[in-house]
Amino acid sequence: MAVYAYQPTGSESEEYHKWYFNTFVWKKTTWMGVNCWKSVADMWNYQEILFELKPSLVIEFGTAHGGSALFFANIMRQIGAPFKVLSVDITHERLEPAARRDPDIVFVESRSTVPAVAEHIQRLKNDFPGKIFAILDSDHTKDNVLAEMKLLRPLLSAGDYLIVEDSTLNGHPVLPGWGPGPYEAIEAYEQEFPDDYTHDVERETKFGWTFAPHGYLIRT
Ligand SMILES: C[S@@+](CC[C@H](N)C(=O)[O-])C[C@H]1O[C@@H](n2cnc3c(N)ncnc32)[C@H](O)[C@@H]1O
């Protein structure tokens, strides 16, 4: 009945997206008491993807307080197969003890785009063979995100999942004028490597909005 009673104007999800971003509610969001700077709609989506994909390796670029790494580890433990979460940040000075002491998370203090990070991922792939779920949430400039995507290129295989977060910046739809960011990095990557990924549009659009528009990618 509600489906018939509800008459959308078409702008609800974009307005909610802008409200969510511009009120900084995402900065007041916690997972098990640890700051987790995400959209809760995306987090639910990630939980569903992880359960379906059952990866052996979660790779996160951009740790901050550690809330998202802890979220991934908690979900993965519930799934029950052996796994590791690798979380890379240029500095772990904000990393909270509740996340730092998690036995299934490897925290690496480094720029995300250096060869040593790729080597670390390769070692973890050897130790934890299987699918990979990777998420880019570090420096949101176009050049950095593009470099991260290229670093992951030889490391991801068909069926692996890549989330490029904060493609909402630069007017997609928040912070117009911010400058080229993740959204533009995805476009540039796809121009260079048009056959690497398909877009998981169904998941991207499932909850009506996401901080990763155009950024739900499945490796072909
Ligand atoms: C948006 S925060 C990460 C939020 C976290 N994933 C969460 O959901 O709570 C971005 C993080 O990226 C880190 N960072 C910035 N540039 C980086 C780089 N080149 N390599 C790795 N980490 C970087 C920052 O120090 C910051 O902690």
Side-chain angles (χ1 to χ4, degrees):
M1 190 59 200
V3 170
Y4 299 107
Y6 178 57
Q7 298 292 323
T9 66
S11 63
E12 295 85 353
S13 63
E14 184 166 323
E15 286 306 312
Y16 181 65
H17 189 152
K18 288 175 177 168
W19 172 85
Y20 200 102
F21 186 86
N22 292 327
T23 59
F24 295 101
V25 64
W26 50 275
K27 274 201 158 181
K28 293 176 271 180
T29 301
T30 56
W31 174 260
M32 296 291 155
V34 182
N35 283 331
C36 185
W37 290 350
K38 298 227 179 297
S39 126
V40 289
D42 284 327
M43 289 174 71
W44 199 271
N45 240 333
Y46 301 157
Q47 172 271 134
E48 292 188 2
I49 294 165
L50 290 172
F51 185 78
E52 204 169 283
L53 187 68
K54 297 189 173 37
S56 53
L57 200 51
V58 175
I59 299 164
E60 172 182 69
F61 291 165
T63 311
H65 300 85
S68 48
L70 187 59
F71 171 80
F72 295 133
N74 285 161
I75 300 295
M76 290 300 300
R77 269 196 293 275
Q78 185 66 22
I79 291 170
F83 75 95
K84 275 288 177 222
V85 175
L86 173 69
S87 188
V88 179
D89 202 294
I90 205 158
T91 171
H92 279 141
E93 63 188 7
R94 287 183 295 195
L95 179 54
E96 293 188 29
R100 192 186 287 273
R101 62 174 172 253
D102 190 290
D104 295 313
I105 309 175
V106 180
F107 289 106
V108 170
E109 203 170 58
S110 168
R111 292 188 76 81
S112 53
T113 51
V114 298
V117 167
E119 288 158 18
H120 204 131
I121 294 170
Q122 187 56 60
R123 284 198 298 278
L124 285 170
K125 265 169 67 89
N126 297 340
D127 293 344
F128 295 86
K131 290 270 183 288
I132 294 179
F133 175 89
I135 180 162
L136 309 185
D137 190 20
S138 71
D139 167 357
H140 300 313
T141 58
K142 174 187 170 187
D143 287 352
N144 183 68
V145 176
L146 186 56
E148 290 178 338
M149 292 181 79
K150 287 183 177 178
L151 178 127
L152 290 177
R153 187 163 196 258
L155 296 164
L156 298 190
S157 309
D160 290 347
Y161 215 103
L162 175 65
I163 300 284
V164 181
E165 282 226 324
D166 289 293
S167 45
T168 180
L169 300 173
N170 203 32
H172 308 292
V174 305
L175 294 191
W178 187 82
Y183 194 97
E184 289 73 23
I186 298 165
E187 286 182 328
Y189 183 93
E190 289 183 333
Q191 278 207 333
E192 200 172 341
F193 308 107
D195 301 323
D196 272 12
Y197 292 101
T198 58
H199 286 257
D200 192 348
V201 177
E202 196 180 326
R203 286 203 189 279
E204 184 188 326
T205 55
K206 180 168 185 177
F207 297 109
W209 74 289
T210 171
F211 276 164
H214 220 199
Y216 279 69
L217 305 172
I218 300 173
R219 190 78 159 88
T220 48

